[in-house]
Amino acid sequence: MKKRHNRKKRMAQYAMYAYCFFAILSLVNTVCGSLGAAVNIPSILLTIKQWVLMLAAIALWGIFRLIQPRNEKLLRRCCEVMVFYYVFSFVLSIFFKFNLIPMTQDGLITRTATILTWTESSIGLLSVIASLIAGCHLGRKHTGSMHQLGTALILVFIVWLICVNILPTTIFYLLGISHPTAFTCFYMFSAFSNTLVYIYAYYRMYRTINN
């Protein structure tokens, strides 16, 4: 049993390191692209980066789900929603990458692709809600590293709410589309904020698993 738990700790550690490395790589690529600096990153590396980020999230949420006691039913269900979302997104990205499901046909998005991407977006919204519920539960019911993880998950939701919903709408309402610099600054702020809060959240999750 102890050997199995140590294996989970090592897997969580590798997943956290991989997530941090590729999240920072993604941030650098985004910032350089926003500033107009050419960064010649092969498309295969970008694809691998995206897959590693999803696999690392699956590993961390999955391991965190496995270490929860049976009486933590709400927390276990929230973890399962998160794992399902990342697994679905990972499988869907493979299908689209290798053209197992055609994305377009005659220059138009196919009906299947539309349904699948809409489904992914819907599950993604559910995962955001599940992450918030898990964060509130951990912050209210637990102390120590679990409480800190709860705070980190709530912070992820706040940043998501600001960067995806509030700021874009506000900038568009106040400035319209005539100020591209404002949208560039917002895009960079969003990239930095999302990268930092997700790295912090997964670091706190790793520390919780490691305790």
PDB file of all heavy atoms in Angstrom, residues 160-188:
ATOM      1  N   TRP A 160     -10.889  33.010 -14.500  1.00  0.00           N
ATOM      2  CA  TRP A 160     -11.682  32.592 -15.667  1.00  0.00           C
ATOM      3  C   TRP A 160     -12.849  33.550 -15.885  1.00  0.00           C
ATOM      4  O   TRP A 160     -13.120  33.964 -17.020  1.00  0.00           O
ATOM      5  CB  TRP A 160     -12.208  31.173 -15.460  1.00  0.00           C
ATOM      6  CG  TRP A 160     -13.184  30.728 -16.515  1.00  0.00           C
ATOM      7  CD1 TRP A 160     -12.899  30.201 -17.730  1.00  0.00           C
ATOM      8  CD2 TRP A 160     -14.622  30.798 -16.444  1.00  0.00           C
ATOM      9  NE1 TRP A 160     -14.064  29.932 -18.427  1.00  0.00           N
ATOM     10  CE2 TRP A 160     -15.123  30.287 -17.665  1.00  0.00           C
ATOM     11  CE3 TRP A 160     -15.512  31.237 -15.467  1.00  0.00           C
ATOM     12  CZ2 TRP A 160     -16.493  30.210 -17.924  1.00  0.00           C
ATOM     13  CZ3 TRP A 160     -16.877  31.169 -15.727  1.00  0.00           C
ATOM     14  CH2 TRP A 160     -17.353  30.647 -16.939  1.00  0.00           C
ATOM     15  N   LEU A 161     -13.532  33.915 -14.814  1.00  0.00           N
ATOM     16  CA  LEU A 161     -14.692  34.803 -14.923  1.00  0.00           C
ATOM     17  C   LEU A 161     -14.282  36.173 -15.452  1.00  0.00           C
ATOM     18  O   LEU A 161     -14.954  36.753 -16.323  1.00  0.00           O
ATOM     19  CB  LEU A 161     -15.359  34.944 -13.554  1.00  0.00           C
ATOM     20  CG  LEU A 161     -16.697  35.682 -13.498  1.00  0.00           C
ATOM     21  CD1 LEU A 161     -17.761  34.907 -14.254  1.00  0.00           C
ATOM     22  CD2 LEU A 161     -17.124  35.904 -12.046  1.00  0.00           C
ATOM     23  N   ILE A 162     -13.165  36.689 -14.958  1.00  0.00           N
ATOM     24  CA  ILE A 162     -12.704  38.014 -15.374  1.00  0.00           C
ATOM     25  C   ILE A 162     -12.205  37.988 -16.821  1.00  0.00           C
ATOM     26  O   ILE A 162     -12.584  38.833 -17.644  1.00  0.00           O
ATOM     27  CB  ILE A 162     -11.591  38.520 -14.431  1.00  0.00           C
ATOM     28  CG1 ILE A 162     -12.175  38.797 -13.031  1.00  0.00           C
ATOM     29  CG2 ILE A 162     -10.939  39.785 -14.989  1.00  0.00           C
ATOM     30  CD1 ILE A 162     -11.134  39.141 -11.986  1.00  0.00           C
ATOM     31  N   CYS A 163     -11.350  37.013 -17.121  1.00  0.00           N
ATOM     32  CA  CYS A 163     -10.681  37.006 -18.427  1.00  0.00           C
ATOM     33  C   CYS A 163     -11.573  36.526 -19.571  1.00  0.00           C
ATOM     34  O   CYS A 163     -11.375  36.930 -20.724  1.00  0.00           O
ATOM     35  CB  CYS A 163      -9.426  36.127 -18.355  1.00  0.00           C
ATOM     36  SG  CYS A 163      -8.131  36.821 -17.306  1.00  0.00           S
ATOM     37  N   VAL A 164     -12.534  35.672 -19.279  1.00  0.00           N
ATOM     38  CA  VAL A 164     -13.377  35.128 -20.346  1.00  0.00           C
ATOM     39  C   VAL A 164     -14.674  35.911 -20.503  1.00  0.00           C
ATOM     40  O   VAL A 164     -15.187  36.049 -21.617  1.00  0.00           O
ATOM     41  CB  VAL A 164     -13.684  33.636 -20.068  1.00  0.00           C
ATOM     42  CG1 VAL A 164     -14.660  33.077 -21.091  1.00  0.00           C
ATOM     43  CG2 VAL A 164     -12.394  32.825 -20.095  1.00  0.00           C
ATOM     44  N   ASN A 165     -15.179  36.456 -19.421  1.00  0.00           N
ATOM     45  CA  ASN A 165     -16.503  37.084 -19.478  1.00  0.00           C
ATOM     46  C   ASN A 165     -16.498  38.593 -19.258  1.00  0.00           C
ATOM     47  O   ASN A 165     -17.082  39.338 -20.048  1.00  0.00           O
ATOM     48  CB  ASN A 165     -17.426  36.427 -18.431  1.00  0.00           C
ATOM     49  CG  ASN A 165     -17.680  34.968 -18.733  1.00  0.00           C
ATOM     50  OD1 ASN A 165     -18.487  34.641 -19.578  1.00  0.00           O
ATOM     51  ND2 ASN A 165     -16.972  34.079 -18.048  1.00  0.00           N
ATOM     52  N   ILE A 166     -15.840  39.060 -18.201  1.00  0.00           N
ATOM     53  CA  ILE A 166     -15.978  40.462 -17.807  1.00  0.00           C
ATOM     54  C   ILE A 166     -15.111  41.389 -18.642  1.00  0.00           C
ATOM     55  O   ILE A 166     -15.613  42.340 -19.261  1.00  0.00           O
ATOM     56  CB  ILE A 166     -15.658  40.632 -16.303  1.00  0.00           C
ATOM     57  CG1 ILE A 166     -16.662  39.839 -15.465  1.00  0.00           C
ATOM     58  CG2 ILE A 166     -15.691  42.103 -15.915  1.00  0.00           C
ATOM     59  CD1 ILE A 166     -16.378  39.853 -13.983  1.00  0.00           C
ATOM     60  N   LEU A 167     -13.804  41.121 -18.687  1.00  0.00           N
ATOM     61  CA  LEU A 167     -12.894  42.040 -19.377  1.00  0.00           C
ATOM     62  C   LEU A 167     -13.161  42.165 -20.877  1.00  0.00           C
ATOM     63  O   LEU A 167     -13.196  43.288 -21.399  1.00  0.00           O
ATOM     64  CB  LEU A 167     -11.444  41.618 -19.129  1.00  0.00           C
ATOM     65  CG  LEU A 167     -10.754  42.242 -17.911  1.00  0.00           C
ATOM     66  CD1 LEU A 167      -9.307  41.789 -17.836  1.00  0.00           C
ATOM     67  CD2 LEU A 167     -10.826  43.757 -17.957  1.00  0.00           C
ATOM     68  N   PRO A 168     -13.338  41.045 -21.624  1.00  0.00           N
ATOM     69  CA  PRO A 168     -13.594  41.217 -23.070  1.00  0.00           C
ATOM     70  C   PRO A 168     -14.825  42.055 -23.359  1.00  0.00           C
ATOM     71  O   PRO A 168     -14.816  42.917 -24.250  1.00  0.00           O
ATOM     72  CB  PRO A 168     -13.760  39.768 -23.558  1.00  0.00           C
ATOM     73  CG  PRO A 168     -13.084  38.936 -22.550  1.00  0.00           C
ATOM     74  CD  PRO A 168     -13.266  39.640 -21.256  1.00  0.00           C
ATOM     75  N   THR A 169     -15.890  41.787 -22.601  1.00  0.00           N
ATOM     76  CA  THR A 169     -17.132  42.545 -22.801  1.00  0.00           C
ATOM     77  C   THR A 169     -16.937  44.023 -22.476  1.00  0.00           C
ATOM     78  O   THR A 169     -17.400  44.904 -23.200  1.00  0.00           O
ATOM     79  CB  THR A 169     -18.253  41.961 -21.930  1.00  0.00           C
ATOM     80  OG1 THR A 169     -18.403  40.567 -22.208  1.00  0.00           O
ATOM     81  CG2 THR A 169     -19.568  42.668 -22.189  1.00  0.00           C
ATOM     82  N   THR A 170     -16.217  44.287 -21.382  1.00  0.00           N
ATOM     83  CA  THR A 170     -15.986  45.674 -20.969  1.00  0.00           C
ATOM     84  C   THR A 170     -15.150  46.430 -21.991  1.00  0.00           C
ATOM     85  O   THR A 170     -15.474  47.567 -22.369  1.00  0.00           O
ATOM     86  CB  THR A 170     -15.272  45.696 -19.601  1.00  0.00           C
ATOM     87  OG1 THR A 170     -16.047  44.983 -18.646  1.00  0.00           O
ATOM     88  CG2 THR A 170     -15.071  47.122 -19.128  1.00  0.00           C
ATOM     89  N   ILE A 171     -14.061  45.797 -22.460  1.00  0.00           N
ATOM     90  CA  ILE A 171     -13.188  46.461 -23.440  1.00  0.00           C
ATOM     91  C   ILE A 171     -13.941  46.727 -24.738  1.00  0.00           C
ATOM     92  O   ILE A 171     -13.854  47.811 -25.320  1.00  0.00           O
ATOM     93  CB  ILE A 171     -11.937  45.600 -23.699  1.00  0.00           C
ATOM     94  CG1 ILE A 171     -11.066  45.554 -22.445  1.00  0.00           C
ATOM     95  CG2 ILE A 171     -11.132  46.158 -24.870  1.00  0.00           C
ATOM     96  CD1 ILE A 171      -9.889  44.607 -22.562  1.00  0.00           C
ATOM     97  N   PHE A 172     -14.706  45.729 -25.199  1.00  0.00           N
ATOM     98  CA  PHE A 172     -15.462  45.905 -26.441  1.00  0.00           C
ATOM     99  C   PHE A 172     -16.520  46.994 -26.277  1.00  0.00           C
ATOM    100  O   PHE A 172     -16.734  47.805 -27.184  1.00  0.00           O
ATOM    101  CB  PHE A 172     -16.115  44.590 -26.834  1.00  0.00           C
ATOM    102  CG  PHE A 172     -16.889  44.676 -28.127  1.00  0.00           C
ATOM    103  CD1 PHE A 172     -16.227  44.643 -29.347  1.00  0.00           C
ATOM    104  CD2 PHE A 172     -18.272  44.801 -28.129  1.00  0.00           C
ATOM    105  CE1 PHE A 172     -16.925  44.737 -30.546  1.00  0.00           C
ATOM    106  CE2 PHE A 172     -18.978  44.899 -29.312  1.00  0.00           C
ATOM    107  CZ  PHE A 172     -18.307  44.867 -30.524  1.00  0.00           C
ATOM    108  N   TYR A 173     -17.177  47.046 -25.114  1.00  0.00           N
ATOM    109  CA  TYR A 173     -18.239  48.040 -24.888  1.00  0.00           C
ATOM    110  C   TYR A 173     -17.657  49.447 -24.816  1.00  0.00           C
ATOM    111  O   TYR A 173     -18.244  50.405 -25.361  1.00  0.00           O
ATOM    112  CB  TYR A 173     -18.972  47.714 -23.591  1.00  0.00           C
ATOM    113  CG  TYR A 173     -20.064  48.697 -23.249  1.00  0.00           C
ATOM    114  CD1 TYR A 173     -21.293  48.665 -23.910  1.00  0.00           C
ATOM    115  CD2 TYR A 173     -19.869  49.675 -22.266  1.00  0.00           C
ATOM    116  CE1 TYR A 173     -22.299  49.574 -23.598  1.00  0.00           C
ATOM    117  CE2 TYR A 173     -20.862  50.582 -21.943  1.00  0.00           C
ATOM    118  CZ  TYR A 173     -22.073  50.530 -22.618  1.00  0.00           C
ATOM    119  OH  TYR A 173     -23.058  51.433 -22.306  1.00  0.00           O
ATOM    120  N   LEU A 174     -16.497  49.610 -24.168  1.00  0.00           N
ATOM    121  CA  LEU A 174     -15.920  50.943 -23.975  1.00  0.00           C
ATOM    122  C   LEU A 174     -15.124  51.423 -25.185  1.00  0.00           C
ATOM    123  O   LEU A 174     -15.149  52.614 -25.517  1.00  0.00           O
ATOM    124  CB  LEU A 174     -15.015  50.939 -22.736  1.00  0.00           C
ATOM    125  CG  LEU A 174     -15.708  50.719 -21.387  1.00  0.00           C
ATOM    126  CD1 LEU A 174     -14.681  50.669 -20.266  1.00  0.00           C
ATOM    127  CD2 LEU A 174     -16.734  51.830 -21.116  1.00  0.00           C
ATOM    128  N   LEU A 175     -14.415  50.492 -25.856  1.00  0.00           N
ATOM    129  CA  LEU A 175     -13.485  50.905 -26.904  1.00  0.00           C
ATOM    130  C   LEU A 175     -13.891  50.446 -28.295  1.00  0.00           C
ATOM    131  O   LEU A 175     -13.354  50.930 -29.283  1.00  0.00           O
ATOM    132  CB  LEU A 175     -12.072  50.384 -26.592  1.00  0.00           C
ATOM    133  CG  LEU A 175     -11.474  50.826 -25.257  1.00  0.00           C
ATOM    134  CD1 LEU A 175     -10.117  50.169 -25.052  1.00  0.00           C
ATOM    135  CD2 LEU A 175     -11.346  52.349 -25.195  1.00  0.00           C
ATOM    136  N   GLY A 176     -14.803  49.450 -28.370  1.00  0.00           N
ATOM    137  CA  GLY A 176     -15.138  48.899 -29.665  1.00  0.00           C
ATOM    138  C   GLY A 176     -13.977  48.083 -30.210  1.00  0.00           C
ATOM    139  O   GLY A 176     -13.183  47.535 -29.462  1.00  0.00           O
ATOM    140  N   ILE A 177     -13.860  48.033 -31.520  1.00  0.00           N
ATOM    141  CA  ILE A 177     -12.777  47.269 -32.137  1.00  0.00           C
ATOM    142  C   ILE A 177     -11.704  48.183 -32.729  1.00  0.00           C
ATOM    143  O   ILE A 177     -10.858  47.741 -33.505  1.00  0.00           O
ATOM    144  CB  ILE A 177     -13.323  46.341 -33.246  1.00  0.00           C
ATOM    145  CG1 ILE A 177     -14.040  47.158 -34.318  1.00  0.00           C
ATOM    146  CG2 ILE A 177     -14.237  45.272 -32.651  1.00  0.00           C
ATOM    147  CD1 ILE A 177     -14.486  46.333 -35.520  1.00  0.00           C
ATOM    148  N   SER A 178     -11.757  49.468 -32.353  1.00  0.00           N
ATOM    149  CA  SER A 178     -10.838  50.449 -32.939  1.00  0.00           C
ATOM    150  C   SER A 178      -9.543  50.594 -32.151  1.00  0.00           C
ATOM    151  O   SER A 178      -8.720  51.443 -32.481  1.00  0.00           O
ATOM    152  CB  SER A 178     -11.532  51.816 -33.052  1.00  0.00           C
ATOM    153  OG  SER A 178     -11.955  52.248 -31.762  1.00  0.00           O
ATOM    154  N   HIS A 179      -9.351  49.819 -31.092  1.00  0.00           N
ATOM    155  CA  HIS A 179      -8.140  49.910 -30.283  1.00  0.00           C
ATOM    156  C   HIS A 179      -7.509  48.524 -30.156  1.00  0.00           C
ATOM    157  O   HIS A 179      -7.653  47.849 -29.130  1.00  0.00           O
ATOM    158  CB  HIS A 179      -8.459  50.474 -28.890  1.00  0.00           C
ATOM    159  CG  HIS A 179      -8.891  51.905 -28.903  1.00  0.00           C
ATOM    160  ND1 HIS A 179     -10.149  52.290 -29.325  1.00  0.00           N
ATOM    161  CD2 HIS A 179      -8.237  53.042 -28.552  1.00  0.00           C
ATOM    162  CE1 HIS A 179     -10.254  53.605 -29.222  1.00  0.00           C
ATOM    163  NE2 HIS A 179      -9.099  54.084 -28.759  1.00  0.00           N
ATOM    164  N   PRO A 180      -6.811  48.078 -31.198  1.00  0.00           N
ATOM    165  CA  PRO A 180      -6.212  46.736 -31.144  1.00  0.00           C
ATOM    166  C   PRO A 180      -5.177  46.586 -30.038  1.00  0.00           C
ATOM    167  O   PRO A 180      -4.961  45.484 -29.535  1.00  0.00           O
ATOM    168  CB  PRO A 180      -5.573  46.583 -32.535  1.00  0.00           C
ATOM    169  CG  PRO A 180      -5.398  47.976 -33.044  1.00  0.00           C
ATOM    170  CD  PRO A 180      -6.528  48.761 -32.470  1.00  0.00           C
ATOM    171  N   THR A 181      -4.519  47.702 -29.661  1.00  0.00           N
ATOM    172  CA  THR A 181      -3.518  47.622 -28.592  1.00  0.00           C
ATOM    173  C   THR A 181      -4.157  47.187 -27.277  1.00  0.00           C
ATOM    174  O   THR A 181      -3.562  46.421 -26.510  1.00  0.00           O
ATOM    175  CB  THR A 181      -2.826  48.989 -28.402  1.00  0.00           C
ATOM    176  OG1 THR A 181      -2.257  49.402 -29.634  1.00  0.00           O
ATOM    177  CG2 THR A 181      -1.727  48.888 -27.355  1.00  0.00           C
ATOM    178  N   ALA A 182      -5.368  47.668 -27.024  1.00  0.00           N
ATOM    179  CA  ALA A 182      -6.060  47.298 -25.792  1.00  0.00           C
ATOM    180  C   ALA A 182      -6.360  45.808 -25.770  1.00  0.00           C
ATOM    181  O   ALA A 182      -6.198  45.145 -24.734  1.00  0.00           O
ATOM    182  CB  ALA A 182      -7.358  48.097 -25.664  1.00  0.00           C
ATOM    183  N   PHE A 183      -6.756  45.261 -26.909  1.00  0.00           N
ATOM    184  CA  PHE A 183      -7.042  43.831 -26.980  1.00  0.00           C
ATOM    185  C   PHE A 183      -5.758  43.006 -26.867  1.00  0.00           C
ATOM    186  O   PHE A 183      -5.750  41.921 -26.286  1.00  0.00           O
ATOM    187  CB  PHE A 183      -7.779  43.500 -28.278  1.00  0.00           C
ATOM    188  CG  PHE A 183      -9.228  43.858 -28.248  1.00  0.00           C
ATOM    189  CD1 PHE A 183      -9.672  45.055 -28.774  1.00  0.00           C
ATOM    190  CD2 PHE A 183     -10.154  43.002 -27.666  1.00  0.00           C
ATOM    191  CE1 PHE A 183     -11.026  45.389 -28.727  1.00  0.00           C
ATOM    192  CE2 PHE A 183     -11.501  43.328 -27.615  1.00  0.00           C
ATOM    193  CZ  PHE A 183     -11.939  44.528 -28.149  1.00  0.00           C
ATOM    194  N   THR A 184      -4.646  43.541 -27.404  1.00  0.00           N
ATOM    195  CA  THR A 184      -3.353  42.850 -27.266  1.00  0.00           C
ATOM    196  C   THR A 184      -2.933  42.802 -25.802  1.00  0.00           C
ATOM    197  O   THR A 184      -2.487  41.754 -25.302  1.00  0.00           O
ATOM    198  CB  THR A 184      -2.270  43.560 -28.100  1.00  0.00           C
ATOM    199  OG1 THR A 184      -2.656  43.558 -29.470  1.00  0.00           O
ATOM    200  CG2 THR A 184      -0.930  42.859 -27.948  1.00  0.00           C
ATOM    201  N   CYS A 185      -3.070  43.923 -25.107  1.00  0.00           N
ATOM    202  CA  CYS A 185      -2.733  43.973 -23.676  1.00  0.00           C
ATOM    203  C   CYS A 185      -3.624  43.032 -22.878  1.00  0.00           C
ATOM    204  O   CYS A 185      -3.145  42.321 -21.976  1.00  0.00           O
ATOM    205  CB  CYS A 185      -2.869  45.402 -23.157  1.00  0.00           C
ATOM    206  SG  CYS A 185      -1.656  46.550 -23.820  1.00  0.00           S
ATOM    207  N   PHE A 186      -4.916  43.026 -23.211  1.00  0.00           N
ATOM    208  CA  PHE A 186      -5.829  42.114 -22.522  1.00  0.00           C
ATOM    209  C   PHE A 186      -5.451  40.656 -22.778  1.00  0.00           C
ATOM    210  O   PHE A 186      -5.453  39.835 -21.857  1.00  0.00           O
ATOM    211  CB  PHE A 186      -7.268  42.345 -22.975  1.00  0.00           C
ATOM    212  CG  PHE A 186      -8.157  41.153 -22.794  1.00  0.00           C
ATOM    213  CD1 PHE A 186      -8.560  40.755 -21.530  1.00  0.00           C
ATOM    214  CD2 PHE A 186      -8.555  40.382 -23.885  1.00  0.00           C
ATOM    215  CE1 PHE A 186      -9.357  39.629 -21.353  1.00  0.00           C
ATOM    216  CE2 PHE A 186      -9.341  39.268 -23.720  1.00  0.00           C
ATOM    217  CZ  PHE A 186      -9.743  38.887 -22.448  1.00  0.00           C
ATOM    218  N   TYR A 187      -5.112  40.348 -24.021  1.00  0.00           N
ATOM    219  CA  TYR A 187      -4.742  38.978 -24.386  1.00  0.00           C
ATOM    220  C   TYR A 187      -3.523  38.515 -23.605  1.00  0.00           C
ATOM    221  O   TYR A 187      -3.474  37.385 -23.100  1.00  0.00           O
ATOM    222  CB  TYR A 187      -4.487  38.918 -25.889  1.00  0.00           C
ATOM    223  CG  TYR A 187      -4.329  37.529 -26.440  1.00  0.00           C
ATOM    224  CD1 TYR A 187      -5.307  36.558 -26.243  1.00  0.00           C
ATOM    225  CD2 TYR A 187      -3.200  37.171 -27.167  1.00  0.00           C
ATOM    226  CE1 TYR A 187      -5.165  35.283 -26.752  1.00  0.00           C
ATOM    227  CE2 TYR A 187      -3.048  35.894 -27.688  1.00  0.00           C
ATOM    228  CZ  TYR A 187      -4.043  34.956 -27.471  1.00  0.00           C
ATOM    229  OH  TYR A 187      -3.903  33.683 -27.972  1.00  0.00           O
ATOM    230  N   MET A 188      -2.519  39.407 -23.475  1.00  0.00           N
ATOM    231  CA  MET A 188      -1.314  39.069 -22.727  1.00  0.00           C
ATOM    232  C   MET A 188      -1.613  38.945 -21.234  1.00  0.00           C
ATOM    233  O   MET A 188      -1.109  38.031 -20.562  1.00  0.00           O
ATOM    234  CB  MET A 188      -0.238  40.119 -22.975  1.00  0.00           C
ATOM    235  CG  MET A 188       0.308  40.119 -24.389  1.00  0.00           C
ATOM    236  SD  MET A 188       1.505  41.433 -24.704  1.00  0.00           S
ATOM    237  CE  MET A 188       2.764  41.034 -23.525  1.00  0.00           C
TER     238      MET A 188
END
